[in-house]
Amino acid sequence: MKALTLLILACTLSACGPNHTRDEITGTQSERVTRATAILSKYDKLPGPLLDAHMAQDVISGGLAPGPSNETLSGVITFPAADLPKWQKILSPQTSHVDSPRYGGHSPAPAWWPAAAAFQNCEFYEPKKLTGRTFGFVALSPSAAAIYFSTGSN
């Protein structure tokens, strides 16, 4: 009986360990743009249409406490180059350069996440206006007409 109780307890506790999930926007380009626009529009009115979007939300939950323990939202969005001043205005003010902008998810970065070289000439902004989150970064690439972001839970 004692062995059975220990076995049940061990199985129960192992089920309470960390659990990683990733919710990634998939589908056609149009479907990804529609879903990303809906997500990002919750935090501020977007200054123009998106041309493409890739986003992933990584959540690590677990332990004995209910609810997510750690959550990240990362993405790449592109927009018409003519809208660059509008995006700069809505994201302002700029913040200091981020030393090593990287994918903040809890598993390997998705294939759409840019290589480190993509961040070389980026302008950096606080993530709150775009993602509603305080931690992380937003990098706007004027040459690529793209925004790369990776943010952590508040």
Side-chain angles (χ1 to χ4, degrees):
M1 183 65 161
K2 188 175 183 179
L4 180 59
T5 303
L6 288 175
L7 180 63
I8 292 172
L9 180 61
C11 291
T12 302
L13 290 176
S14 67
C16 294
N19 182 29
H20 175 259
T21 58
R22 174 176 283 169
D23 181 21
E24 188 169 344
I25 291 178
T26 58
T28 66
Q29 179 178 348
S30 177
E31 291 168 337
R32 291 190 312 268
V33 165
T34 298
R35 189 162 170 214
T37 299
I39 292 167
L40 298 175
S41 292
K42 293 177 192 176
Y43 308 108
D44 205 341
K45 183 177 185 222
L46 301 184
L50 302 180
L51 297 177
D52 202 355
H54 295 277
M55 290 173 58
Q57 180 177 25
D58 289 301
V59 177
I60 288 187
S61 58
L64 299 177
S69 301
N70 197 349
E71 178 182 313
T72 62
L73 178 66
S74 302
V76 175
I77 57 175
T78 58
F79 54 87
D83 288 348
L84 176 63
K86 295 177 189 176
W87 282 98
Q88 289 168 317
K89 183 177 179 181
I90 195 171
L91 293 173
S92 287
Q94 284 189 18
T95 188
S96 61
H97 178 79
V98 175
D99 288 330
S100 62
R102 60 185 169 77
Y103 183 74
H106 305 292
S107 60
W112 47 259
W113 187 253
F119 296 97
Q120 286 180 343
N121 296 312
C122 285
E123 301 168 358
F124 290 89
Y125 299 89
E126 296 294 329
K128 185 84 170 166
K129 290 181 180 178
L130 182 66
T131 66
R133 294 156 190 245
T134 306
F135 305 107
F137 71 89
V138 168
L140 185 145
S141 172
S143 61
I147 296 173
Y148 316 120
F149 59 92
S150 192
T151 64
S153 56
N154 294 332

